[in-house]
Amino acid sequence: MKDIIEINNLNKSFGEVKAVDDLSFRVKEGELFAFLGINGAGKSTTINIMCAQLSKDSGNITIDGYDLDKSADKIKSKLGVVFQSSVLDSALSVYDNLQSRAALYGIVGEDFKKRIFELAKMLEFEDLLKRTVGKLSGGQRRRIDIARALLHKPKILILDEPTTGLDPQTRKILWGVISELRKSENMTVFLTTHYMEEASEADFVVIIDSGKIAAEGTPLQLKNTYTGDFVTIYGIDEDTVKGFGFEYEKIRDAYRLLVPDTKAATELILKNPSVFVDYEITKGKMDDVFLSVTGKSLIGGNEK
Amino acid sequence: MNVALVLIKRNVKLFFKDKGMFFTSLITPGILLLLYATFLGNVYRDSFVTGLPPQITLSESIIDGLVGSQLISSILAVSCVTVAFCSNFLMVQDRVNGNIKDLRISPIKPSILSLSYYFATLISTLIICFLATAICLIYVAIVGWYMSFVDVLLLFLDVLLLVLFGTALSSVISFFLSTQGQISAVGTIISACYGFICGAYMPISSFGTGLQKAIMFLPGTYGTSLIRNHSMRGVFNEMQEQNVPSKVIKGLEDMLDCNLYFFDNQVSIPVMYLVLSLSVVILVGAYIFINVLKKNDR
């Protein structure tokens, strides 16, 4: 797989504040790439620079083979962006909104009609076309935002916290469509999210903190590196658990031990086979990775 | 080209669907109408009558025609500029609510985006101002009609030119605005001040000499005078036919800003057109220039 996004030594400061600090990473074509960080970590600044909305202080960005400094317009036609909050015209109908946005990419007339009906079917908003955007529910509006981003069949879809505040049904529709597009059109998805279960589905994750990369890797690599395994043992007394010498917590009808890795869990079981009658071993979660890497949790996107 | 047309359609639709912007743009003509209907009309009527030499008596119809023409010329002179400002605030609102981001992430040229705002403002303002002109003409027809067909055509031309001026001026000023507070502040200042500095609320001749000279450097003044000339010319012609001395008529023309003097030299109507047209060209040039500068600054 080729690198569709290459960012090298990117820097951006606002006055004394260094928003992006020597940031370098690659995104492979067709992958789901998760870009994580608390609010103010530098995610939006990076995205704005990638979309040619903000100038950079230094560094290089190449997207689909085009240098951002030389071919910003070419890059813009490759990107579809779903912003954190909807930026459609509330006073206009869904149809009028999508018509004006499609025209920006030269999609007009019959081509537009064909495309809008494809998207309406895909994202299930055929019955919303004549409705005013300002009167739609949050979930309905999000579907229109996604449709807007997909109007020109972008090679890269940037999703900036796309599912925040959405109901489970809309989240399911959204991810269903995105998965389908990734399969059928090999679309690359660049995701920022506060939902770690979404990030755990990513092919590759970059966590940034204060504008710098704090950790990167596949979700499995990150879990293996930054969290231990959890061994949950049922029908055991606390004294026995205490004797294992690992950090533990009592849960409803069991004890959960934190062990360094799967190897340590296996050794523990082999040493104490009589105790391990009813148990399970689980990997740490992406929340634990994030907490371990940044020392902050992502509740609501703010530092906690 | 299609892109620009679709964007202009979007902007015009947004203006007319945004009740706040639409009704705000109608406030200035509404206030003027109310002021005149309540007391200014009578003040001007009395000043005309008392200003005439004792041996001259004018018919009620002529006086009503003159007062009515002054009313509509004031309304139109102010509206062409204030409505353009209100309409152009759409550009600022797009910045305030972030919608502009959605347009700028596309490969559209910034020049097309800027021109789409300019032409949308022009169209919205023209629709409202031509409608206002039609209503004003109906009003004049009721109170005392003395205008010729040519006067009516020239009045529409004046409105068109003044709208072009207002659109260009508001585009340049709105370019630098980026918050709701700035929109409100500029809207208030323009609504309150423009009518005075262009000579629509108070005749320029009633200002002090220094201020009169300063106002003559503002292009809007010439727009107001053009509208005054073409809406009142019929009344003055009728006065001439009724043997009112030329000196008296000239005195009225001076008092009502139909005649403008740039350092004691009377400005002819073709020169007024030239000044207004040139200022439109210069302002549009400035608007294009600042857009190019901003693009390079990204």
Side-chain angles (χ1 to χ4, degrees):
Chain A
M1 278 196 294
K2 70 164 187 174
D3 292 332
I4 197 161
I5 301 174
E6 294 173 42
I7 295 185
N8 294 310
N9 310 107
L10 184 66
N11 284 287
K12 176 70 186 176
S13 296
F14 297 102
E16 297 293 305
V17 180
K18 204 146 179 76
V20 178
D21 190 358
D22 202 30
L23 193 67
S24 298
F25 63 83
R26 304 273 183 280
V27 179
K28 299 228 173 276
E29 186 170 18
E31 77 178 2
L32 171 57
F33 178 91
F35 194 50
L36 309 179
I38 59 160
N39 289 344
K43 303 187 301 286
S44 294
T45 304
T46 307
I47 290 174
N48 281 332
I49 295 171
M50 283 166 58
C51 298
Q53 300 302 297
L54 196 61
S55 60
K56 55 187 167 56
D57 295 341
S58 62
N60 295 304
I61 296 181
T62 307
I63 294 178
D64 200 27
Y66 294 105
D67 185 339
L68 182 69
D69 294 331
K70 293 173 189 159
S71 313
D73 283 351
K74 287 248 167 58
I75 288 175
K76 283 176 174 180
S77 64
K78 308 281 177 191
L79 302 177
V81 184
V82 177
F83 293 99
Q84 277 178 29
S85 34
S86 182
V87 282
L88 294 172
D89 301 315
S90 303
L92 299 185
S93 70
V94 170
Y95 188 91
D96 285 345
N97 262 288
L98 295 178
Q99 188 184 36
S100 63
R101 299 319 196 259
L104 301 171
Y105 300 89
I107 306 166
V108 291
E110 284 305 311
D111 289 343
F112 165 68
K113 282 181 188 161
K114 196 177 156 204
R115 184 62 180 151
I116 195 177
F117 287 113
E118 274 173 18
L119 289 167
K121 197 174 169 195
M122 192 193 294
L123 286 153
E124 301 175 23
F125 65 86
E126 293 109 315
D127 53 336
L128 302 178
L129 285 170
K130 288 182 182 167
R131 295 264 301 273
T132 306
V133 165
K135 290 180 181 165
L136 299 179
S137 69
Q140 290 169 331
R141 200 187 275 215
R142 214 55 178 148
R143 276 185 271 164
I144 311 304
D145 290 332
I146 308 268
R148 182 263 172 267
L150 295 174
L151 274 168
H152 56 296
K153 299 187 177 177
K155 287 189 85 170
I156 303 163
L157 181 64
I158 296 176
L159 301 168
D160 197 358
E161 297 174 27
T163 52
T164 304
L166 292 189
D167 59 273
Q169 192 200 347
T170 308
R171 284 171 71 175
K172 197 177 163 192
I173 292 175
L174 196 154
W175 280 112
V177 169
I178 290 166
S179 300
E180 187 54 41
L181 284 168
R182 286 186 58 211
K183 272 186 220 157
S184 62
E185 296 180 23
N186 197 30
M187 194 173 69
T188 307
V189 178
F190 188 103
L191 168 76
T192 78
T193 181
H194 289 151
Y195 295 112
M196 288 297 111
E197 67 270 31
E198 289 177 351
S200 65
E201 298 294 315
D203 297 304
F204 198 82
V205 178
V206 163
I207 299 174
I208 61 166
D209 193 19
S210 306
K212 289 181 184 167
I213 291 186
E216 61 183 321
T218 64
L220 182 65
Q221 286 169 341
L222 291 173
K223 285 174 189 176
N224 284 340
T225 309
Y226 294 100
T227 71
D229 282 17
F230 291 97
V231 181
T232 308
I233 315 168
Y234 300 91
I236 190 170
D237 61 80
E238 190 167 358
D239 288 339
T240 311
V241 173
K242 210 179 273 181
F244 293 149
F246 291 111
E247 193 183 317
Y248 70 92
E249 63 172 331
K250 181 168 173 40
I251 54 174
R252 202 175 175 87
D253 54 353
Y255 287 91
R256 184 159 58 199
L257 284 78
L258 175 64
V259 295
D261 50 31
T262 313
K263 192 180 166 203
T266 310
E267 283 170 1
L268 182 69
I269 295 163
L270 291 174
K271 270 191 198 167
N272 307 279
S274 59
V275 179
F276 285 86
V277 177
D278 190 3
Y279 67 95
E280 56 189 328
I281 304 172
T282 51
K283 290 271 177 204
K285 292 180 179 171
M286 283 303 290
D287 289 287
D288 304 312
V289 172
F290 194 87
L291 186 63
S292 170
V293 169
T294 65
K296 300 148 192 167
S297 76
L298 260 180
I299 301 163
N302 295 313
E303 187 176 335
K304 298 280 170 180
Chain B
M1 195 57 202
N2 270 338
V3 182
L5 289 178
V6 173
L7 280 177
I8 291 169
K9 186 178 147 195
R10 173 236 178 211
N11 295 345
V12 172
K13 257 192 179 180
L14 272 176
F15 174 72
F16 284 103
K17 287 213 169 187
D18 187 321
K19 291 177 182 62
M21 267 196 286
F22 180 63
F23 287 113
T24 307
S25 67
L26 296 177
I27 280 176
T28 306
I31 289 173
L32 270 178
L33 196 64
L34 199 71
L35 277 175
Y36 269 87
T38 315
F39 54 89
L40 277 181
N42 285 335
V43 171
Y44 282 117
R45 165 187 284 271
D46 293 344
S47 72
F48 294 146
V49 176
T50 52
L52 289 170
Q55 67 275 22
I56 295 169
T57 46
L58 291 175
S59 69
E60 280 295 306
S61 170
I62 286 186
I63 294 171
D64 286 343
L66 198 61
V67 174
S69 301
Q70 193 187 8
L71 162 64
I72 67 153
S73 55
S74 296
I75 288 177
L76 293 176
V78 177
S79 302
C80 290
V81 173
T82 54
V83 172
F85 267 89
C86 287
S87 177
N88 228 334
F89 285 154
L90 173 75
M91 177 167 70
V92 190
Q93 274 196 347
D94 272 356
R95 273 186 224 134
V96 173
N97 56 30
N99 290 18
I100 194 77
K101 266 167 59 179
D102 200 29
L103 306 178
R104 286 196 180 140
I105 54 155
S106 73
I108 188 173
K109 287 190 167 54
S111 56
I112 293 182
L113 202 54
S114 304
L115 286 175
S116 75
Y117 282 118
Y118 179 85
F119 283 109
T121 300
L122 185 64
I123 291 167
S124 306
T125 312
L126 275 178
I127 290 171
I128 291 182
C129 289
F130 278 161
L131 191 68
T133 310
I135 293 168
C136 284
L137 289 174
I138 292 169
Y139 173 78
V140 172
I142 294 167
V143 297
W145 180 274
Y146 292 95
M147 292 172 78
S148 67
F149 180 65
V150 175
D151 287 338
V152 173
L153 287 183
L154 288 171
L155 183 64
F156 274 99
L157 174 67
D158 301 339
V159 169
L160 171 66
L161 262 179
L162 208 49
V163 166
L164 279 166
F165 169 73
T167 304
L169 180 68
S170 61
S171 296
V172 171
I173 292 176
S174 300
F175 181 86
F176 299 99
L177 310 180
S178 56
T179 67
Q180 196 65 46
Q182 289 169 343
I183 294 178
S184 305
V186 171
T188 308
I189 291 167
I190 294 295
S191 300
C193 299
Y194 182 75
F196 283 104
I197 59 172
C198 77
Y201 292 164
M202 301 277 288
I204 295 169
S205 56
S206 63
F207 295 155
T209 322
L211 191 55
Q212 279 189 38
K213 282 183 177 155
I215 282 174
M216 290 309 295
F217 283 95
L218 306 176
T221 311
Y222 300 92
T224 309
S225 184
L226 283 169
I227 291 180
R228 290 233 194 275
N229 268 294
H230 296 130
S231 56
M232 294 180 180
R233 189 162 64 179
V235 181
F236 293 133
N237 287 345
E238 179 64 22
M239 286 165 77
Q240 211 163 18
E241 280 180 20
Q242 290 190 12
N243 298 319
V244 175
S246 304
K247 203 177 164 187
V248 173
I249 295 174
K250 187 173 177 300
L252 279 173
E253 285 175 341
D254 286 351
M255 189 178 92
L256 295 171
D257 299 334
C258 291
N259 296 334
L260 292 180
Y261 297 91
F262 190 81
F263 290 95
D264 298 330
N265 298 310
Q266 188 173 345
V267 182
S268 68
I269 286 186
V271 171
M272 289 185 195
Y273 275 122
L274 189 67
V275 170
L276 204 54
S277 305
L278 274 178
S279 49
V280 171
V281 172
I282 290 167
L283 284 168
V284 170
Y287 180 58
I288 292 168
F289 181 68
I290 53 180
N291 272 287
V292 170
L293 272 189
K294 166 133 186 183
K295 189 193 168 196
N296 294 336
D297 191 38
R298 183 187 62 74

